[in-house]
Amino acid sequence: MRKDDIPQDDSKLSDKNMKELCYAVDKNGNYTTGLSTGWEAKSIALDLTIKNLDQQIEEAKNEVLKGQKSPIYYFMIREKMDIGILAGYMSRPKWIIKRHFKPHVFEKLKISTVKKYADIFSVDETKLTKFNE
Amino acid sequence: MSNIDFYHHQSAHCENGVASNIFKFNGFDLSEPMVFGIGSGLFYIYIPFLKVNQAPAISYRPMPGFIFSRASKQLNVKIKRERFSNVDKSFDALDRNLDNGIASGLQVGVYHLPYFPDEYRFHFNAHNLVVFGKQGNEYLISDPVMETTTTLTRSELEKVRFAKGVFAPKGHMYYPVQFPKEMELESAIINGLKKTCKDMLAPVPFVGANGIKYVAKKIPYWANKVGTKKTNHYLAQIIRMQEEIGTGGGGFRFVFAAFLQEIASIMNRSEWLELSHRMTAIGDDWRDFALKASRICKSRDNDENAYQNISSLMLEISKSEKQFFKDLKKSI
């Protein structure tokens, strides 16, 4: 890549005024570095990944509304977590977390447990008890 | 309050960057490409049975931490590593280091880093940064992928130091405790090159040039077997692993080419300059692959030919890399 060819496309990096460092060659063929605001190819890939994620969030929401899953499941997906990560934050084994996805188990959870989940998801606990997303 | 004269240099990759910045801080001027090359950072692996983000795991780099560890070992720099189960103790240790004027590297999770754009915040726990001071309740942070230094409060830093999930950092802090009187660069460079050639020419199907060939052949197979929607998702993942923040472009190929150029002049070996140009061309081929693959991701109706085309592009790359590393091996 030549330094003049370092892409300067719009990207999600611009939101936080971030630029990333790239290695490229100058006119004399020597290596140097330059900053990039983003690259179309990468934005397409990231957008597709985010679109897939949004779709999963939407599906999770419907499952909760249909009474198939508890709100914990929805917020886990929304926070881009998997069971392993959530189990880590809760300091509980994965199978217990999985059980908490069942609406009838979730309803009987202790308030302190619900509160802990709410803290991990950075939401108010009423968001979990009165699901209204 | 403790403040250390620390010069922040932005880098392409966090691990090389932290290593390079820490070496420079301690008086050893080692560039990012040098750390990368000596630490044998160039790699390729496809792990078919492991799914990351619902796509097959593909990596253009070795396991997190390997580059820094190998580079330090090759250069005879002793690194002390500490992990903590207790949050307060982890901060006592950090404060103690800062009071002693030691700029300390930390392994952190990306998800809770407030200065990252939301779209880049995933539960990736092997990011690295340096803490070089404290003002009141704020820690002074040098995150090598950022243009300038920044600050984090103790509670923000606590969140990222104790992120959970794969590679959970557990407060991991590291810093050099002993440097050699003089760095023996030449042997370190040779060993780094040898290891990279060994990795990239590994006689197993999923690693190095063979791994690239394997994935290339998989692309049209995926399109038939799992459908275009999933295949496009896999391609998006490949593009991100190859080009996202941290690779310097072309899946680290340009950083490696910069390394070859630097060592060609240090050790006065013109053949490495020639190889550096060849690696740059291979990096350009990777960029071309990413661009074409992204166009496939964008369009809804792709015929089989589209997947076949990028597959052949990648096959060509695997051939060029195989020949490249054979030639590099001979030149050592």
Side-chain angles (χ1 to χ4, degrees):
Chain A
M1 183 165 55
R2 298 214 344 219
K3 194 170 179 184
D4 301 340
D5 296 335
I6 294 179
Q8 305 295 343
D9 301 338
D10 276 340
S11 78
K12 298 284 194 298
L13 291 175
S14 354
D15 300 353
K16 294 252 174 177
N17 225 345
M18 251 173 103
K19 285 185 189 140
E20 92 178 271
L21 192 87
C22 295
Y23 281 78
V25 286
D26 64 14
K27 286 188 187 105
N28 305 318
N30 292 322
Y31 260 94
T32 176
T33 57
L35 293 174
S36 166
T37 53
W39 187 30
E40 187 202 353
K42 289 171 22 170
S43 293
I44 292 171
L46 185 61
D47 286 348
L48 187 69
T49 308
I50 290 170
K51 221 170 85 188
N52 283 334
L53 201 74
D54 285 344
Q55 207 178 338
Q56 283 171 39
I57 296 171
E58 198 54 34
E59 280 164 19
K61 186 174 117 182
N62 288 333
E63 283 180 272
V64 177
L65 292 175
K66 278 189 220 153
Q68 293 162 341
K69 293 267 166 69
S70 78
I72 290 171
Y73 177 75
Y74 166 81
F75 281 101
M76 176 185 82
I77 302 285
R78 203 189 74 170
E79 291 298 306
K80 304 180 197 164
M81 291 180 177
D82 59 25
I83 298 180
I85 296 168
L86 185 54
Y89 277 105
M90 284 298 287
S91 317
R92 303 285 283 274
K94 282 195 223 174
W95 66 270
I96 294 205
I97 306 293
K98 227 175 190 170
R99 253 176 70 77
H100 294 172
F101 294 162
K102 294 182 179 168
H104 70 275
V105 176
F106 170 72
E107 273 162 33
K108 287 175 199 145
L109 284 182
K110 277 189 281 183
I111 295 170
S112 60
T113 310
V114 176
K115 177 96 182 52
K116 197 168 175 190
Y117 274 116
D119 284 346
I120 290 166
F121 299 138
S122 315
V123 294
D124 200 84
E125 57 189 280
T126 51
K127 290 268 185 195
L128 290 175
T129 48
K130 296 191 177 71
F131 187 75
N132 185 25
E133 289 299 317
Chain B
M1 286 286 116
S2 46
N3 273 315
I4 303 170
D5 262 340
F6 185 84
Y7 287 93
H8 171 84
H9 305 265
Q10 191 181 5
S11 65
H13 184 233
C14 66
E15 194 179 324
N16 308 326
V18 162
S20 169
N21 280 337
I22 284 185
F23 284 148
K24 280 179 180 158
F25 170 71
N26 286 284
F28 292 92
D29 194 5
L30 215 58
S31 69
E32 174 182 15
M34 285 294 279
V35 171
F36 180 76
I38 291 172
S40 310
L42 201 79
F43 195 56
Y44 189 90
I45 188 164
Y46 167 61
I47 314 173
F49 46 84
L50 180 69
K51 289 269 198 294
V52 174
N53 187 13
Q54 287 142 29
I58 286 165
S59 181
Y60 288 78
R61 51 173 283 187
M63 285 281 285
F66 276 24
I67 302 177
F68 192 14
S69 301
R70 285 177 191 159
S72 313
K73 203 174 157 199
Q74 289 299 336
L75 295 164
N76 266 323
V77 178
K78 280 213 173 72
I79 305 289
K80 184 163 165 114
R81 295 178 180 278
E82 294 181 74
R83 286 187 171 79
F84 305 87
S85 51
N86 181 303
V87 174
D88 286 331
K89 276 188 185 153
S90 78
F91 278 91
D92 290 348
L94 177 61
D95 291 345
R96 181 199 68 215
N97 266 7
L98 295 175
D99 284 339
N100 291 333
I102 302 169
S104 304
L106 293 182
Q107 182 193 338
V108 297
V110 167
Y111 193 69
H112 289 105
L113 276 181
Y115 50 79
F116 264 38
D118 277 351
E119 291 79 3
Y120 282 85
R121 289 173 44 236
F122 287 91
H123 294 274
F124 174 67
N125 286 332
H127 188 58
N128 294 277
L129 48 78
V130 176
V131 184
F132 63 96
K134 193 180 177 187
Q135 274 172 346
N137 193 31
E138 297 217 306
Y139 286 91
L140 310 182
I141 306 290
S142 154
D143 186 323
V145 304
M146 305 293 287
E147 267 182 277
T148 52
T149 58
T150 175
T151 58
L152 288 174
T153 63
R154 172 171 159 151
S155 67
E156 286 168 339
L157 198 52
E158 184 181 319
K159 267 193 176 164
V160 294
R161 288 185 79 185
F162 289 90
K164 299 293 189 325
V166 181
F167 301 132
K170 300 190 173 88
H172 186 189
M173 174 170 91
Y174 51 91
Y175 48 96
V177 284
Q178 200 189 323
F179 277 90
K181 281 206 184 85
E182 229 171 285
M183 275 196 183
E184 287 184 27
L185 266 187
E186 296 202 356
S187 64
I189 288 168
I190 297 291
N191 288 337
L193 285 175
K194 277 185 184 159
K195 171 86 181 130
T196 305
C197 290
K198 199 178 156 198
D199 286 347
M200 292 306 290
L201 295 171
V204 284
F206 302 141
V207 177
N210 287 345
I212 299 167
K213 184 169 143 191
Y214 193 92
V215 172
K217 287 189 171 163
K218 274 275 175 187
I219 294 173
Y221 169 83
W222 286 331
N224 275 328
K225 185 91 181 178
V226 298
T228 50
K229 192 173 175 248
K230 256 195 177 164
T231 306
N232 290 358
H233 174 62
Y234 292 178
L235 287 177
Q237 177 101 333
I238 294 177
I239 298 169
R240 290 177 57 227
M241 290 299 141
Q242 181 188 315
E243 297 292 338
E244 263 319 341
I245 299 186
T247 69
F252 294 103
R253 267 61 187 169
F254 298 130
V255 186
F256 191 69
F259 168 66
L260 288 172
Q261 183 185 291
E262 202 171 333
I263 60 173
S265 85
I266 291 175
M267 292 175 66
N268 212 358
R269 300 277 295 267
S270 58
E271 65 267 41
W272 288 346
L273 193 59
E274 202 52 49
L275 285 165
S276 166
H277 297 323
R278 265 173 73 187
M279 186 77 321
T280 306
I282 293 174
D284 288 336
D285 291 344
W286 278 112
R287 298 279 281 187
D288 191 36
F289 165 80
L291 194 63
K292 291 193 169 125
S294 76
R295 301 232 161 102
I296 292 180
C297 290
K298 203 176 179 181
S299 117
R300 277 170 192 278
D301 38 8
N302 294 296
D303 52 17
E304 254 177 59
N305 276 338
Y307 295 100
Q308 200 62 55
N309 287 344
I310 56 163
S311 164
S312 357
L313 262 181
M314 211 188 214
L315 266 180
E316 281 307 312
I317 293 176
S318 109
K319 274 186 207 153
S320 327
E321 294 214 345
K322 193 154 217 172
Q323 195 53 50
F324 175 91
F325 286 103
K326 278 182 181 164
D327 294 344
L328 179 62
K329 197 176 169 188
K330 264 186 234 153
S331 77
I332 303 169

